């Protein structure tokens, strides 16, 4: 059965098919349609090696670069959609080996600049005013040119320096067409290959489509900048540019200009003058807070997106790609990070199994053994060899081999931490990520606790308490009626009836005491409103006596419960010690 082909997309089908064959996924290509596409005599669409900006590599032969690096080059040569495909695949440890993930994570988003006439036309259409009217000055040469847009330095009428990000013309249509092509191929693979049924490529393409369409809306990126700015305001050494609201549309993003240099552009002398240790620590703390407290993090902190400012701070740029974590996932990832950083292999394996999705061939024993061994093997490494991100990617890979798929959030976190490792080491070659995680664990837990005590959550808890108090008398009445009319039934298996009755009697007695105490308190509260001559400490005497009776009875009930529990525990220990010699084997 052949794929339903759109004639306009035949070239793209062929390019993707060749890519699958070239990189060892021949099981994904059905020859019944791929051979048909090969009938056309056309030059290869996928070059074997390219340099940045689409310029052929200067004397670089295919066999001089590793297969993962070749894949990054080929995706870059296929256009903006496939650059983003590579970045997306770098978060899928369940699909590609670690060496491919690392090569794709380093894939730089660069392209030929847009002609300035197109930039001017887009800005005019989006802002409703000519560049000369909206800006005091606007540099023609871009600061950077990426696959989706490019950035220009400009000056507002107020004199403030800004960076203006302008989207490429017709990029939405190009990406939409490429996404439809990928969806066609994914649908075919899901129906006709075992790998498709295992990985569900259709769902993968849809996930990628949603992420990329959000990245094409610069208004969303402006909201991301505002959110991250607010979340990291307490960390002085980390700065995020603020958007300029009146100059933001879906295709133009104007934000505060930050003077600085990429971490990768720092020379040896500049690094010697820079105090990198506190910057590395602040960067790590910022990401731990984003991931484990806020649940909102910059998902693409590769070295090109991290600047060192002129005043010696770290700037995080390009928030088109962000990640979000649910509170339950945050807690699991925090425990997993601490287990890995402290070398607790068995705990790390237990947590990984808990958050993973078991596949039909899941082998729990093997999973526990291999994950524990992997974590323990990282203990004793040199500081410069420790990489938390790499360890978490390896954890995802081992899990999949053993039949359990880790959540995508784990791989996104691993990729972010891998990039943070690289940036932090560039600033301070002696930086120890494990030690940093342990140092910041206490403050992270405090922030998580304070966040859980937000006014909204406290108010919700008060409403639940109010509902409980309102319904308590009715529930107690129903319980007492059921006990009185012998409508209470308890289902037990192989239990001593005498002990059961004694236990029920204790429960009934305690419930009765509780009802009496409640009645005394309610009666006392009602009597407080009745004026009498008999008074104690200026209050109605009978009411005070009832309050005292309730208090004494309550303390007595608590003391009885504690004493009874202690006595029961001692009797249970004595019984076990008595039974142990009788059950011991004889020779």
């Amino acid at each position: 059965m052949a794929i339903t082909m759109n004639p306009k997309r035949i070239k793209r089908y062929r390019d993707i098919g060749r890519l699958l064959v070239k990189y060892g996924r021949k099981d994904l290509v059905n020859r019944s349609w791929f051979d048909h596409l090969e009938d056309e005599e056309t030059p290869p669409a996928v070059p074997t090696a390219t340099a940045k900006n689409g310029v052929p590599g200067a004397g670089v032969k295919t066999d001089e670069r590793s297969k993962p690096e070749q894949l990054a080059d080929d995706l870059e040569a296929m256009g903006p959609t496939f650059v983003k495909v590579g970045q997306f695949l770098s978060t899928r440890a369940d699909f590609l080996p670690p060496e491919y993930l690392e090569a794709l994570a380093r894939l730089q988003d660069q392209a030929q600049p847009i002609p300035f006439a197109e930039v001017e036309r887009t800005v005019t259409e989006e802002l409703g005013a000519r560049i000369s009217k909206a800006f005091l000055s606007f540099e023609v040469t871009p600061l950077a040119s990426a696959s989706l847009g490019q950035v220009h330095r400009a000056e507002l009428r107020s004199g403030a320096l800004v960076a203006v990000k302008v989207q490429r013309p017709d990029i939405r249509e190009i990406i939409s067409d490429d996404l439809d092509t990928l969806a066609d191929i994914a649908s075919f693979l899901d129906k006709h290959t075992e790998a498709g049924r295992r990985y569900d490529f259709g769902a993968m393409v849809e996930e990628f489509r949603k992420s990329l369409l959000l990245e094409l809306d610069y208004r969303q990126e402006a909201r991301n900048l505002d959110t991250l700015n607010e979340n990291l305001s307490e960390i002085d050494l980390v700065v995020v540019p603020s958007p300029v609201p009146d100059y933001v549309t879906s295709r133009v993003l104007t934000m505060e200009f930050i003077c600085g240099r990429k971490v990768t552009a720092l020379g040896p002398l500049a690094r010697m003058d820079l105090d990198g240790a506190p910057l590395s620590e602040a960067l790590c703390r910022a990401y731990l807070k984003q991931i484990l407290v806020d649940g909102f993090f910059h998902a693409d902190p590769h070295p090109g997106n991290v600047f060192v400012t002129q005043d010696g701070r770290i700037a995080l740029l390009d928030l088109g790609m962000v990640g979000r974590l649910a509170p339950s996932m945050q807690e699991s990832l925090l425990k997993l990070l601490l287990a890995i950083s402290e070398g607790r292999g068995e705990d790390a394996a237990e947590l990984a199994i808990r958050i993973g999705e078991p596949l039909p061939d899941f082998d729990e024993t093997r999973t526990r053994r291999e994950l524990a061994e992997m974590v323990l093997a990282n203990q004793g490494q040199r500081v410069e060899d420790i990489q938390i991100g790499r360890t978490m990617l390896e954890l995802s890979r081992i899990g999949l081999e053993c039949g359990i798929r880790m959540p995508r959030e784990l791989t996104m976190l691993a990729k972010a931490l891998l990039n943070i490792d690289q940036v932090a080491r560039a600033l301070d070659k002696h930086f120890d990520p494990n030690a940093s995680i342990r140092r910041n664990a206490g403050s992270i837990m405090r922030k998580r606790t304070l966040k859980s005590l937000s006014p909204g959550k406290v108010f919700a808890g008060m409403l639940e308490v109010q509902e409980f108090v309102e319904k308590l008398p009715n529930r107690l009445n129903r319980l007492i009626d059921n006990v009185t009319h012998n409508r209470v039934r308890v289902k037990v298996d192989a239990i001593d009836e005498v002990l059961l009755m004694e236990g029920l009697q204790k429960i009934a007695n305690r419930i009765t005491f509780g009802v009496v105490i409640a009645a005394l308190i309610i009666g006392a509260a009602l009597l407080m409103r009745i004026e009498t001559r008999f008074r104690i400490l200026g209050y109605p005497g009978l009411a005070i006596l009832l309050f005292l009776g309730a208090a004494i009875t309550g303390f007595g009930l608590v003391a009885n419960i504690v004493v009874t529990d202690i006595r029961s525990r001692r009797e249970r220990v004595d019984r076990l010690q008595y039974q142990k010699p009788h059950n011991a084997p004889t020779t």
Side-chain angles (χ1 to χ4, degrees):
M1 180 179 178
I3 188 172
T4 302
M5 293 186 295
N6 184 329
K8 296 180 181 179
R9 299 175 186 158
I10 288 179
K11 181 177 182 296
R12 267 313 196 210
Y13 292 142
R14 182 177 57 250
D15 292 346
I16 297 170
R18 282 177 171 157
L19 204 67
L20 294 174
V21 170
K22 179 177 178 180
Y23 294 98
R25 299 310 302 250
K26 296 184 178 65
D27 56 309
L28 302 181
V29 183
N30 185 305
R31 305 302 302 184
S32 63
W33 64 270
F34 184 64
D35 285 336
H36 172 70
L37 296 178
E38 285 290 289
D39 290 341
E40 282 192 63
E41 290 296 332
T42 56
V46 182
T48 55
T50 56
K52 298 301 177 189
N53 298 326
V55 180
V60 179
K61 297 180 181 179
T62 300
D63 57 0
E64 290 180 358
R65 294 176 65 79
S66 68
K67 211 68 176 288
E69 291 172 331
Q70 290 178 41
L71 174 59
D73 289 341
D74 289 345
L75 288 171
E76 188 176 46
M78 289 176 70
T81 307
F82 291 88
V83 170
K84 295 299 178 183
V85 167
Q87 293 175 353
F88 174 77
L89 290 177
S90 71
T91 68
R92 297 302 300 247
D94 57 336
F95 184 62
L96 292 174
E99 58 272 19
Y100 280 84
L101 297 177
E102 291 183 28
L104 294 177
R106 292 193 296 268
L107 186 62
Q108 297 297 302
D109 197 359
Q110 299 178 358
Q112 290 286 354
I114 312 168
F116 185 72
E118 294 287 350
V119 172
E120 190 171 21
R121 181 173 64 84
T122 300
V123 172
T124 301
E125 289 176 357
E126 291 295 308
L127 299 185
R130 288 180 298 171
I131 283 182
S132 59
K133 295 292 184 182
F135 299 92
L136 188 62
S137 65
F138 196 103
E139 293 185 1
V140 174
T141 304
L143 296 172
S145 183
S147 58
L148 302 186
Q150 66 186 33
V151 180
H152 291 258
R153 177 172 169 167
E155 186 178 355
L156 297 177
R157 289 287 173 181
S158 64
L161 288 178
V162 293
V164 184
K165 189 174 181 180
V166 184
Q167 197 168 102
R168 287 182 174 273
D170 305 322
I171 191 67
R172 292 172 183 264
E173 291 75 12
I174 294 170
I175 286 178
S176 179
D177 191 59
D178 282 341
L179 288 172
D180 290 340
T181 303
L182 288 170
D184 289 344
I185 294 177
S187 176
F188 178 87
L189 296 176
D190 288 347
K191 293 177 182 177
H192 301 285
T193 67
E194 181 60 34
R197 284 183 283 272
R198 180 179 180 85
Y199 291 106
D200 192 0
F201 295 121
M204 199 182 295
V205 170
E206 279 307 305
E207 182 184 350
F208 174 60
R209 184 192 296 272
K210 292 177 183 177
S211 172
L212 191 50
L213 291 179
L214 281 176
E215 195 169 349
L216 284 169
D217 186 353
Y218 286 170
R219 292 169 299 186
Q220 180 61 49
E221 184 171 348
R223 289 191 287 270
N224 294 341
L225 288 168
D226 281 333
T227 301
L228 193 62
N229 234 322
E230 182 180 352
N231 292 345
L232 298 183
S233 59
E234 64 187 63
I235 303 178
D236 296 333
L237 289 178
V238 177
V239 60
V240 179
S242 300
V244 181
D246 294 337
Y247 288 74
V248 174
T249 71
S250 62
R251 298 172 61 208
V252 173
L253 171 61
T254 306
M255 62 196 124
E256 172 190 4
F257 184 83
I258 293 182
C259 296
R261 286 185 292 173
K262 294 181 182 180
V263 171
T264 51
L266 295 174
L269 292 178
R271 294 185 188 186
M272 289 178 61
D273 293 336
L274 187 69
D275 188 2
L279 291 179
S280 296
E281 182 70 16
L283 184 63
C284 185
R285 186 167 69 254
Y287 264 85
L288 291 174
K289 183 179 185 298
Q290 289 176 60
I291 294 164
L292 301 173
V293 178
D294 305 321
F296 174 90
F297 64 97
H298 184 200
D300 192 26
H302 65 72
N305 284 341
V306 181
F307 276 42
V308 176
T309 65
Q310 290 182 345
D311 59 355
R313 295 187 293 171
I314 289 289
L316 300 179
L317 309 177
D318 193 359
L319 260 76
M321 188 184 299
V322 297
R324 290 177 171 81
L325 296 171
S328 58
M329 182 60 69
Q330 287 177 266
E331 186 173 340
S332 297
L333 291 177
L334 174 58
K335 292 177 181 177
L336 183 61
L337 270 176
L338 290 173
I340 291 175
S341 66
E342 294 173 358
R344 294 183 281 110
E346 293 182 0
D347 291 345
E350 174 66 30
L351 289 163
I353 291 172
R354 189 183 306 167
I355 65 176
E357 176 189 352
L359 300 173
D361 58 344
F362 175 48
D363 185 342
E364 183 172 350
T365 302
R366 179 189 170 195
T367 304
R368 291 181 182 277
R369 182 182 68 253
E370 295 198 9
L371 289 181
E373 289 175 354
M374 183 270 293
V375 173
L376 291 172
N378 288 326
Q379 292 300 102
Q381 287 186 335
R382 296 177 302 171
V383 169
E384 56 268 27
D385 294 333
I386 298 172
Q387 288 189 321
I388 289 287
R390 186 189 297 274
T391 301
M392 296 187 75
L393 286 176
E394 183 70 5
L395 183 145
S396 295
R397 182 191 64 79
I398 291 174
L400 189 64
E401 287 182 355
C402 298
I404 185 168
R405 181 184 296 144
M406 294 295 113
R408 181 171 179 260
E409 292 91 342
L410 178 66
T411 315
M412 288 184 68
L413 171 61
K415 178 197 171 187
L417 291 176
L418 186 64
N419 284 327
I420 290 302
D421 280 340
Q422 295 172 353
V423 174
R425 299 289 172 78
L427 296 169
D428 176 20
K429 63 180 181 180
H430 300 298
F431 177 70
D432 183 352
N434 283 335
S436 180
I437 289 172
R438 291 193 291 270
R439 280 194 299 271
N440 289 287
S443 63
I444 289 171
M445 289 303 300
R446 285 194 298 273
K447 289 182 175 69
R448 283 184 58 82
T449 302
L450 290 174
K451 188 176 180 181
S452 67
L453 296 176
S454 64
K457 292 185 177 180
V458 171
F459 185 67
M462 292 173 63
L463 290 175
E464 291 181 3
V465 171
Q466 178 185 359
E467 181 183 2
F468 172 76
V469 171
E470 288 175 351
K471 294 182 178 181
L472 180 61
N474 187 36
R475 289 171 177 170
L476 283 174
N477 286 336
R478 288 203 306 269
L479 176 61
I480 294 171
D481 286 344
N482 289 333
V483 172
T484 303
H485 295 90
N486 197 28
R487 289 197 295 263
V488 177
R489 297 288 183 269
V490 180
K491 295 181 179 180
V492 295
D493 291 325
I495 205 165
D496 191 326
E497 296 178 359
V498 176
L499 290 176
L500 174 62
M501 293 307 299
E502 288 179 357
L504 290 175
Q505 185 65 39
K506 291 177 182 178
I507 292 172
N509 291 340
R510 290 175 181 179
I511 290 175
T512 303
F513 269 109
V515 172
V516 171
I517 293 170
L520 289 173
I521 293 173
I522 293 171
L526 293 173
L527 289 172
M528 287 290 287
R529 306 179 65 178
I530 300 175
E531 294 294 331
T532 62
R533 295 181 179 179
F534 174 49
R535 305 180 74 83
I536 298 176
L537 300 177
Y539 297 98
L542 187 55
I544 295 297
L545 290 177
L546 290 178
F547 273 127
L548 290 174
I552 294 170
T553 307
F555 283 123
L557 180 59
V558 171
N560 177 264
I561 291 171
V562 172
V563 171
T564 303
D565 288 347
I566 293 174
R567 186 184 300 125
S568 298
R569 192 178 300 113
R570 288 176 178 173
E571 290 176 354
R572 187 164 56 252
V573 171
D574 292 341
R575 187 164 55 252
L576 290 174
Q577 290 177 347
Y578 173 77
Q579 292 175 352
K580 187 173 181 180
H582 296 278
N583 295 333
T586 57
T587 57

